[in-house]
Amino acid sequence: MQYVGLVAFALMLAVAQILLKLAAVKSTESPFPWSLLNWQLIVALAIYGVATIIWVMVLRVTPLSLAYPFAALGFVIVPAFAAFLFNEPLTTTYLVGAAMIVGGIIVISTAA
């Protein structure tokens, strides 16, 4: 169950980051500070709130040394989402780095 919470936490952070990007793009359409009041920003902040609650629940039963590396999944997930949603390039360097991050998380989680 702890791994479900860890992956859910990482996915929620990634989705919130994508929503923040959408909010930032949309914020150029109206003057500040009203530009910040859009549904993408509000939902992103709500997701961060829920992710924080999940994180605290996970930390109750998981050592921080095991849990924290899962936060790095965001470095893998966010650029993948960005490539799909914003047509941002996925370079070979990104793919190698992402594979190393995933490999590191696997090593850490099996050693724990």
Side-chain angles (χ1 to χ4, degrees):
M1 181 63 179
Q2 68 186 4
Y3 291 107
V4 172
L6 290 168
V7 172
F9 171 75
L11 284 171
M12 292 177 82
L13 291 183
V15 169
Q17 284 295 313
I18 294 300
L19 287 169
L20 286 177
K21 170 69 174 180
L22 291 170
V25 170
K26 188 172 185 173
S27 72
T28 61
E29 298 172 3
S30 58
F32 184 82
W34 307 116
S35 60
L36 296 177
L37 298 175
N38 59 58
W39 72 267
Q40 292 95 337
L41 178 65
I42 294 166
V43 172
L45 294 175
I47 290 172
Y48 276 130
V50 173
T52 300
I53 293 167
I54 289 172
W55 183 245
V56 171
M57 290 172 35
V58 166
L59 289 179
R60 292 176 71 192
V61 296
T62 307
L64 188 58
S65 60
L66 172 62
Y68 194 67
F70 278 83
L73 279 177
F75 296 120
V76 175
I77 300 167
V78 171
F81 282 177
F84 179 72
L85 296 170
F86 306 119
N87 294 319
E88 294 183 8
L90 287 181
T91 64
T92 302
T93 306
Y94 162 78
L95 295 173
V96 170
M100 291 173 74
I101 290 170
V102 171
I105 291 170
I106 291 169
V107 169
I108 288 170
S109 66
T110 57

